[in-house]
Structures are given as structure tokens and as C-alpha cells.
Amino acid sequence: GTGSVRVAQRTTGEGSSPNVHAASSTGYSLAITNLPLDTWGLITLEPITDSTDIIIQLNDNTAITYDDTNLGSYTSAGVILGATHAAAPALQRYGNVAIKAIIFRDQIDDSATRAAIKAYLTEKYL
């Protein structure tokens, strides 16, 4: 397949910076606007089984659902930190962030496993 799915920060009129979105090759979700600068947060991004929806969530706040009808045709070719999925020179862009941990799963976990992972990360880092 082609395309990508990612967490992205971009400037929008939805609230104060940073505005964090679920993003794909075809668009962006509504923004998470309540992660203050110079703080830590737990951002999760996950596809929904048998759906074209992607969920992005900050900590245990209300999740934002993004419907990308192309999701089923995307494949994972790896993880890029601090850049964008594009041809050079776009890959030379950077993210002004600090990342304490990333868990990249090769499956969609059940709710108990997701809760255990989030509890572990929250206890350790927040």
C-alpha cells in the first residue's frame, strides 16, 4: 500500500499551541489543544479494527476519532521521529520535542492490554 499515519503538530485555529493531530496522507483530525508547552503527556494513536477510523488521545482525556477512508491501503514501512513522511527535503524538518518512550505494536491490543500499557507509561513518566 501507500500512505502514512502519524501524530503531527501543526498550526490551526483550534486552540493554543501545540495543536496535535492524528494525520494521514489525506488529511488531519481535529486537534488536541490541551497539552501545555514544557509538560509531558501520553499520546496514543491507534487504528480501530475493521474500520477506517484512527483514534488519537492525550492521557485519559476524550479520544478524538479521525475517519480516513484510505486507512486500509496504508502499510507500515517504519517509524520516523521528528520529521514527516515525504521526499527530501521535507524529511529535513524537525520536531522540537522530547520523547521519553515509544511503544510500537504490530497488532491491535484488547482494552485490558491497552490499559496496562498506558498505566505503566503513566506511572513511569508522568
Side-chain angles (χ1 to χ4, degrees), residues 9-24:
Q9 179 185 352
R10 60 194 294 256
T11 303
T12 64
E14 293 180 63
S16 61
S17 180
N19 290 342
V20 180
H21 304 260
S24 71

Side-chain angles (χ1 to χ4, degrees), residues 5-6 45 47 75-81 101-109 117 121:
V5 176
R6 59 199 175 275
L45 178 73
T75 57
S76 177
V79 176
I80 300 171
L81 298 177
I102 291 180
I103 295 179
F104 188 78
R105 305 280 291 168
D106 65 352
Q107 64 190 28
I108 298 175
D109 295 316
I117 292 169
L121 291 171

Side-chain angles (χ1 to χ4, degrees), residues 6 20 24 33 37-38 50 61 66 68 77-78 99 101 107-108 113 116-117:
R6 59 199 175 275
V20 180
S24 71
T33 60
L37 294 174
D38 299 319
D50 299 326
N61 297 338
Y66 171 53
D68 181 347
I99 298 171
Q107 64 190 28
I108 298 175
T113 302
I117 292 169

Side-chain angles (χ1 to χ4, degrees), residues 20-93:
V20 180
H21 304 260
S24 71
S25 298
T26 56
Y28 296 88
S29 71
L30 295 174
I32 291 173
T33 60
N34 54 343
L35 177 61
L37 294 174
D38 299 319
T39 64
W40 294 104
L42 174 61
I43 296 175
T44 55
L45 178 73
E46 59 187 297
I48 302 303
T49 307
D50 299 326
S51 173
T52 60
D53 292 347
I54 304 166
I55 300 293
I56 187 168
Q57 186 177 26
L58 172 63
N59 302 323
D60 286 324
N61 297 338
T62 302
I64 295 172
T65 301
Y66 171 53
D67 182 12
D68 181 347
T69 57
N70 297 303
L71 183 62
S73 67
Y74 298 162
T75 57
S76 177
V79 176
I80 300 171
L81 298 177
T84 187
H85 174 71
L91 284 171
Q92 297 169 3
R93 297 177 186 157

